[in-house]
Amino acid sequence: MEILLAEKAGFCFGVKRAFELTQEAASTNHAGPISVLGPLIHNPQAIEMLEKLGVTTVMDLDHVSEGTLIIRCHGVAPNLIEQAKDKGLAVIDATCPFVRRAIRLADTLSTERYQVVIVGDPDHPEVIAINGATKNQATIVKEPGDVGKMEVHRHVGILAQTTQTLQNLQACVAELLKRSQEVRVYNTICTATSERQAAALSLAQQVDVMLVVGGRNSANTRRLVEICKDVNTVVYHIEIAEEIESGWFENVDKVGITAGASTPSWIIEGVLDRMSELNKELDTLQEENAQVEETEKQEETTEAPQEEKQEAPVEQQLADYESSFVDLQAGEIIEGRVEEVGPDEVMVDISYKFEGTIPTKEVGPGKLEKGDQIHVYVAKVEDDTVILSKRRADRELAWSKLQDAYETGQTIEAVVKERVKGGLLVDVGVRGFIPASHVDMGYVDDLDKYVKENAKFTLKVIELDRAKNNVVLSRKQVLEEEYEKAKETIYEELNEGDIVQGVVRRLTDFGAFVDIGNGVEGLLHVSEMSWGRVRHPKDVVAVDDTIDVMILKLEPERERISLGLKQTKPDPWTNIGGRYSVDQIVQGEITRIVDFGAFVQLEDGVEGLVHISQLADYHVTRPEDVVTTGEKVKVKILNIDEGAHRIGLSLRDAQENTKKQQEEIYQEQTDNGNVKIGDVVGDLSSLFNQSEE
Ligand code: F3S
């Protein structure tokens, strides 16, 4: 007797996932009792097993006050999960990803003001959950006839309960197309149920007896029984292996076994074992498997034509929508949107039939949020699972970007992470190394400052070897190129007389070097710093000062730029004749003493000369015998030459003038008989002690 197992039988992906999440919650240290909202699975043996683990079923959120709440694979309205969290419950959302997608689509359509139409059973918990996402505003139709009775809006979005048939969805869409201006169709049907039904039907047609394994309260198992009976095969519906009777198999050559989507694998295995014991003619289980494989091949060839039947006018729309799903291949890098960040896995919408998952531990807590657009690497694609990796995608993209930059010479940006022997490490998606000699155009003695500042560098890739995990980068090359470009721009675009902003980089005794753009420096000579006399450049500017300077001379062939600072300020010699006049007595300060006299500053940038012959009314051999630097004096203006920036001064004449005035005062007071010697002496002494004023 041959024993054949249906190609698709037992737990579907969604039920398996929900069952495993619940088992895991029960076997780990979850706080408080564990409750499932609604029966997790329509199988009494599985429920009994969970109850032994302490998992109880509740029908209403009001009946849970503490502990962990598990949402079964049918899902719930989004607001119910929020309510559970508000009650302080730990929520494990075991909603099947197929259902979750339908819920999300309903939410999006509703937000975009589409009339949401759900093809399905209005009393089914899954449909209730999908409707909940629309705030219960969706229209639910069971069949095309219901469409004729409903009010249809101009813009309609239609989706289906996951267990609906494609034919029913197509027929409903066809009706809606007649009445609405725009119909957006979303095929949210899960193939797990139809696959099990097709596999059961195919097997039932080949065998004498079918065993359908699953809970008697399971609708999908009962449907499998009906399908198998429709081809006049003898069918037995059992829940467990112990129900099998040997008398059922007298004169039977072939027995087929199938199971509903809520039947755990251990029950199916129990049935297979029991059948194996009964089957005295089978020598080994290996033979049995070989026959199963052969049957599978036959089933594959008989299944193909069924798919070809699905052509109808409205099918084009569904086909178009189906083709909008990406064709996933392991090893691809694709873009996705984070839908949910759970304690164990991150669900990512990748425009596939269902969401892919990244293990949460791979990305770390708090790194991703709902709505984030990310790149993911497709690590594994199976019928019911897509495993993704963000770390791998980031790494692959980083290498690809580096390869691109290496080949094209384009720059990349990176933040300095660490100082190591011989240079710096930066993060370029992978670890990159900048040798110390490539950090700047010149030697840098303090590399640690870049780490402290979290400096962000623009870099060129100068060496790349993925096999050795070696990335060498240069900032120096970028700076050098920028410097060359800036130099060209400056020589091309700037003219003598232009005023530009620059930063003082270095000071010397003869001036300051000023960076006027991307490292291009010009010399600000000390003589061009001020209209007045400057003893040392540091008296006018300091390193890092930002100053406006005038381009005095551009010499591209010698790579020299001469700058002026004083030219950016008004020339104090302009209209000097309007402010000073010959014979005027003015006050000034001795700034310099030379062999032939002394220079007196009358105002900032305006100096005049007291010739040695004009220092005193006696012969002077050394000017410093008469005046000292810094001394304040009164001088008489002898002449003004505005063009040559010269003013001739006389200290002697100023003193004589003052003496004469004093004599006149003395004479006047003597004439009045009212004079004190101190008046005269005091006034005269003030002439020779101006610095004490
Ligand atoms: Fe999900 Fe399909 Fe099963 S919708 S729960 S995988 S039948």
Side-chain angles (χ1 to χ4, degrees):
M1 184 171 67
E2 278 185 69
I3 299 169
L4 305 172
L5 180 63
E7 186 196 3
K8 298 279 182 184
F11 271 179
C12 65
F13 156 63
V15 172
K16 182 167 177 266
R17 180 173 171 272
F19 191 74
E20 285 174 356
L21 283 171
T22 309
Q23 260 186 318
E24 191 190 327
S27 54
T28 51
N29 280 336
H30 269 269
I34 297 174
S35 315
V36 184
L37 195 55
L40 184 79
I41 183 171
H42 294 298
N43 183 280
Q45 290 74 31
I47 293 291
E48 194 183 324
M49 178 197 169
L50 291 176
E51 279 173 355
K52 281 183 188 155
L53 289 171
V55 179
T56 54
T57 302
V58 293
M59 300 310 292
D60 199 302
L61 186 58
D62 292 341
H63 298 139
V64 193
S65 55
E66 58 173 338
T68 300
L69 182 74
I70 292 174
I71 307 297
R72 59 181 170 167
C73 51
H74 294 318
V76 292
N79 69 334
L80 202 138
I81 292 180
E82 294 311 313
Q83 283 172 25
K85 287 180 181 170
D86 290 346
K87 285 184 85 169
L89 301 174
V91 176
I92 296 176
D93 186 0
T95 305
C96 172
F98 290 105
V99 178
R100 198 201 314 264
R101 176 169 165 267
I103 291 173
R104 184 163 45 78
L105 284 169
D107 182 15
T108 307
L109 284 168
S110 172
T111 309
E112 291 176 3
R113 300 188 169 278
Y114 276 77
Q115 179 188 17
V116 179
V117 176
I118 307 168
V119 179
D121 175 359
D123 298 323
H124 193 282
E126 178 191 315
V127 175
I128 293 169
I130 299 170
N131 192 17
T134 70
K135 299 196 170 51
N136 299 321
Q137 295 303 304
T139 308
I140 301 162
V141 295
K142 276 186 168 177
E143 53 190 20
D146 292 344
V147 177
K149 299 173 204 158
M150 64 179 266
E151 185 191 332
V152 178
H153 298 187
R154 283 157 66 100
H155 305 288
V156 176
I158 181 165
L159 37 84
Q161 184 182 342
T162 54
T163 47
Q164 282 291 302
T165 64
L166 188 62
Q167 289 79 357
N168 195 35
L169 172 61
Q170 287 171 339
C172 292
V173 171
E175 286 304 312
L176 278 168
L177 280 171
K178 291 177 198 163
R179 299 184 52 202
S180 181
Q181 193 177 328
E182 184 202 2
V183 179
R184 280 168 67 174
V185 185
Y186 294 91
N187 182 358
T188 48
I189 295 169
C190 163
T191 53
T193 306
S194 58
E195 281 171 354
R196 277 154 185 73
Q197 291 173 357
L201 175 64
S202 172
L203 189 56
Q205 287 167 335
Q206 302 167 49
V207 298
D208 307 307
V209 170
M210 275 298 285
L211 295 182
V212 180
V213 190
R216 291 192 173 81
N217 60 343
S218 161
N220 72 71
T221 307
R222 289 201 304 269
R223 180 73 189 124
L224 289 179
V225 172
E226 284 168 19
I227 287 169
C228 295
K229 279 183 178 170
D230 281 351
V231 291
N232 294 324
T233 306
V234 178
V235 180
Y236 296 103
H237 181 176
I238 56 171
E239 284 191 348
I240 51 174
E242 286 69 22
E243 293 176 31
I244 295 172
E245 294 174 23
S246 56
W248 294 347
F249 308 106
E250 282 171 20
N251 302 320
V252 167
D253 290 332
K254 288 184 181 176
V255 177
I257 299 171
T258 188
S262 51
T263 308
S265 56
W266 81 82
I267 293 182
I268 300 170
E269 282 160 16
V271 170
L272 283 170
D273 287 348
R274 173 84 177 119
M275 286 305 296
S276 191
E277 284 167 16
L278 283 173
N279 191 357
K280 305 295 182 192
E281 294 171 11
L282 285 177
D283 295 332
T284 63
L285 189 59
Q286 254 183 346
E287 266 183 47
E288 179 189 320
N289 286 340
Q291 286 164 353
V292 169
E293 275 176 25
E294 184 55 35
T295 308
E296 283 171 357
K297 278 182 200 155
Q298 288 167 10
E299 283 167 4
E300 269 172 26
T301 51
T302 52
E303 270 181 344
Q306 286 183 353
E307 283 176 19
E308 286 172 11
K309 283 184 207 161
Q310 296 170 358
E311 287 301 332
V314 74
E315 284 169 359
Q316 190 52 47
Q317 285 213 14
L318 289 167
D320 288 348
Y321 182 68
E322 286 292 327
S323 66
S324 72
F325 290 133
V326 291
D327 183 19
L328 279 189
Q329 301 289 335
E332 280 181 313
I333 292 176
I334 52 173
E335 233 187 309
R337 180 179 184 276
V338 174
E339 285 303 327
E340 190 180 323
V341 181
D344 300 320
E345 54 189 19
V346 177
M347 310 291 294
V348 184
D349 178 7
I350 46 174
S351 301
Y352 191 54
K353 283 183 267 190
F354 49 84
E355 289 137 332
T357 57
I358 307 171
T360 304
K361 63 177 182 241
E362 186 203 289
V363 286
K367 292 280 166 55
L368 289 177
E369 281 183 3
K370 184 176 177 179
D372 285 352
Q373 286 291 137
I374 57 169
H375 281 99
V376 284
Y377 175 87
V378 181
K380 198 163 148 194
V381 184
E382 290 181 347
D383 282 353
D384 49 14
T385 326
V386 176
I387 303 294
L388 307 169
S389 168
K390 180 172 183 300
R391 190 165 41 199
R392 183 87 189 264
D394 290 347
R395 199 171 165 77
E396 292 295 328
L397 288 172
W399 277 108
S400 153
K401 194 174 156 194
L402 286 167
Q403 188 67 39
D404 212 31
Y406 182 55
E407 285 168 8
T408 61
Q410 283 184 340
T411 58
I412 52 172
E413 299 215 314
V415 174
V416 176
K417 290 288 171 201
E418 203 179 326
R419 160 98 157 93
V420 289
K421 191 180 171 196
L424 294 168
L425 290 185
V426 289
D427 180 6
V428 282
V430 294
R431 209 173 68 148
F433 175 65
I434 311 175
S437 59
H438 278 269
V439 171
D440 210 329
M441 289 206 289
Y443 171 72
V444 181
D445 59 353
D446 178 18
L447 290 176
D448 290 320
K449 71 177 178 188
Y450 297 116
V451 183
K452 284 180 208 146
E453 290 167 0
N454 282 327
K456 194 174 187 183
F457 285 169
T458 305
L459 301 158
K460 282 210 159 201
V461 184
I462 55 173
E463 268 182 57
L464 192 69
D465 187 340
R466 184 163 183 183
K468 291 181 185 164
N469 212 19
N470 187 33
V471 185
V472 182
L473 304 134
S474 171
R475 179 172 175 246
K476 179 183 171 181
Q477 282 194 4
V478 176
L479 296 176
E480 281 175 347
E481 280 179 18
E482 283 176 357
Y483 174 78
E484 287 304 319
K485 265 191 217 143
K487 209 164 58 179
E488 262 175 47
T489 310
I490 282 168
Y491 287 128
E492 273 173 27
E493 295 181 3
L494 291 186
N495 296 304
E496 291 175 3
D498 286 352
I499 292 177
V500 293
Q501 199 172 66
V503 178
V504 178
R505 296 290 183 212
R506 283 174 296 137
L507 294 181
T508 66
D509 288 345
F510 56 85
F513 286 92
V514 181
D515 182 345
I516 57 170
N518 288 0
V520 180
E521 291 181 356
L523 173 64
L524 172 60
H525 194 269
V526 66
S527 61
E528 305 297 347
M529 287 185 168
S530 167
W531 290 109
R533 192 164 301 280
V534 178
R535 287 189 193 89
H536 192 276
K538 68 173 186 261
D539 296 339
V540 181
V541 292
V543 171
D544 290 338
D545 277 358
T546 299
I547 54 173
D548 286 336
V549 285
M550 181 182 281
I551 308 280
L552 300 182
K553 201 165 188 186
L554 285 167
E555 298 175 89
E557 60 293 342
R558 298 174 69 196
E559 296 201 351
R560 270 199 197 171
I561 300 168
S562 303
L563 306 171
L565 177 62
K566 68 183 183 188
Q567 291 79 359
T568 63
K569 294 165 185 152
D571 180 357
W573 286 92
T574 303
N575 194 29
I576 196 87
R579 304 202 301 283
Y580 299 98
S581 56
V582 173
D583 291 338
Q584 186 184 355
I585 305 286
V586 291
Q587 185 155 312
E589 181 182 326
I590 304 289
T591 53
R592 235 170 1 126
I593 297 171
V594 290
D595 289 348
F596 53 85
F599 286 93
V600 178
Q601 181 177 287
L602 302 185
E603 62 180 79
D604 198 17
V606 177
E607 279 186 355
L609 172 67
V610 182
H611 191 264
I612 192 166
S613 61
Q614 295 294 328
L615 281 173
D617 55 1
Y618 53 87
H619 178 70
V620 177
T621 53
R622 288 166 24 102
E624 53 268 44
D625 293 341
V626 183
V627 289
T628 53
T629 304
E631 182 183 345
K632 301 267 179 24
V633 292
K634 279 184 178 170
V635 288
K636 184 177 178 178
I637 296 174
L638 301 180
N639 52 60
I640 300 172
D641 185 342
E642 185 174 325
H645 289 192
R646 281 188 188 158
I647 297 179
L649 304 169
S650 174
L651 180 62
R652 182 189 69 192
D653 286 3
Q655 288 170 352
E656 272 177 12
N657 192 55
T658 307
K659 213 187 299 176
K660 208 162 137 194
Q661 282 177 0
Q662 293 304 321
E663 281 169 4
E664 282 171 13
I665 294 166
Y666 176 73
Q667 190 58 52
E668 196 182 318
Q669 289 176 337
T670 305
D671 292 347
N672 296 338
N674 184 21
V675 65
K676 292 178 192 154
I677 190 68
D679 295 339
V680 178
V681 173
D683 286 336
L684 286 174
S685 69
S686 69
L687 256 179
F688 299 100
N689 294 294
Q690 296 289 346
S691 62
E692 293 172 14
E693 283 179 7

